[in-house]
Amino acid sequence: MRRLIVSSTVLLLFLSGAAGWAQKLSDQPGYVSIEELGIFPREDLSVEINLDGAILRMVAEATRGDDPAFAQVMSSLKSIQVRVFPLAGAKEDVVRGKVDRAVRWLEDRGWSSMVRVREKGSESYIYLKKSGEQIVGLTILAIEAGDEAAMINIVGRIDPAEIGRLGQSLNIPQLEKATAKKPE
């Protein structure tokens, strides 16, 4: 019984610390409030992922033995948000207009364009947020014509050499394209 009480107390302290930290996520320079941008109606999302704090630390620790480099990348992150919106039945031109407004919003707030790809009805934009010489945020906006649109925001220290590896490990093809050399 004592072990259960101690474990529960430690867990509650850990979670309350993580909750306090999460409240400050919006103060991070690489954070983008996807909901405030209003690109995708939340009720119509096909995928919504919100990883932060304790969850990212848990992933980092769980992978440390098998993939120390990936674990290091994950331990430097504060948040990963993913939203995917199916375009079937949606007005694609309206979604494209919203993505264009989001791109301008990022640029107006000091985000730098890293990649812009427009081909065969598909568009991908990758933006970086820097603090000094350090990358502290990465945002991806992508539209696959007739299929889906997505927005990804990654907050935390990001090593440019690891961007492709992060994309490969998290199955984010737009990030895999962002580096010329993929890890072995």
Side-chain angles (χ1 to χ4, degrees):
M1 180 71 160
R2 182 181 174 140
R3 180 185 267 183
L4 177 63
I5 292 171
V6 170
S7 297
S8 297
T9 303
V10 168
L11 179 62
L12 286 173
L13 287 172
F14 181 73
L15 290 176
S16 66
W21 177 86
Q23 291 172 347
K24 297 179 183 178
L25 184 60
S26 61
D27 294 337
Q28 299 295 317
Y31 174 77
V32 173
S33 174
I34 295 175
E35 283 74 25
E36 285 183 31
L37 287 178
I39 300 173
F40 316 122
R42 190 172 193 169
E43 63 275 4
D44 294 335
L45 294 174
S46 61
V47 176
E48 179 177 359
I49 299 171
N50 299 296
L51 304 175
D52 61 22
I55 299 296
L56 289 174
R57 288 190 296 275
M58 181 180 71
V59 169
E61 288 307 312
T63 59
R64 195 165 305 284
D66 293 332
D67 193 344
F70 178 72
Q72 180 61 40
V73 170
M74 294 304 286
S75 68
S76 298
L77 301 181
K78 297 183 184 281
S79 169
I80 299 174
Q81 301 177 83
V82 179
R83 304 291 186 274
V84 178
F85 177 74
L87 292 176
K91 294 183 178 177
E92 228 173 286
D93 57 331
V94 172
V95 174
R96 285 183 194 281
K98 289 180 178 183
V99 168
D100 287 344
R101 281 193 298 281
V103 163
R104 284 193 302 281
W105 185 92
L106 290 167
E107 291 171 351
D108 290 346
R109 283 156 183 79
W111 287 75
S112 302
S113 174
M114 182 175 157
V115 174
R116 290 179 189 220
V117 178
R118 290 182 178 167
E119 59 185 13
K120 298 179 187 174
S122 298
E123 299 177 24
S124 295
Y125 305 91
I126 300 177
Y127 281 85
L128 298 177
K129 181 70 169 187
K130 289 183 171 184
S131 178
E133 290 300 310
Q134 209 166 46
I135 297 172
V136 294
L138 183 128
T139 297
I140 301 168
L141 295 143
I143 299 173
E144 290 294 325
D147 189 19
E148 60 190 18
M151 183 169 180
I152 301 163
N153 177 237
I154 300 173
V155 181
R157 285 179 302 131
I158 302 169
D159 179 355
E162 292 295 329
I163 291 175
R165 181 177 180 76
L166 185 63
Q168 188 175 35
S169 298
L170 297 175
N171 194 25
I172 303 171
Q174 292 82 6
L175 278 184
E176 291 177 45
K177 296 176 194 173
T179 56
K181 183 179 177 186
K182 292 183 185 178
E184 298 174 22

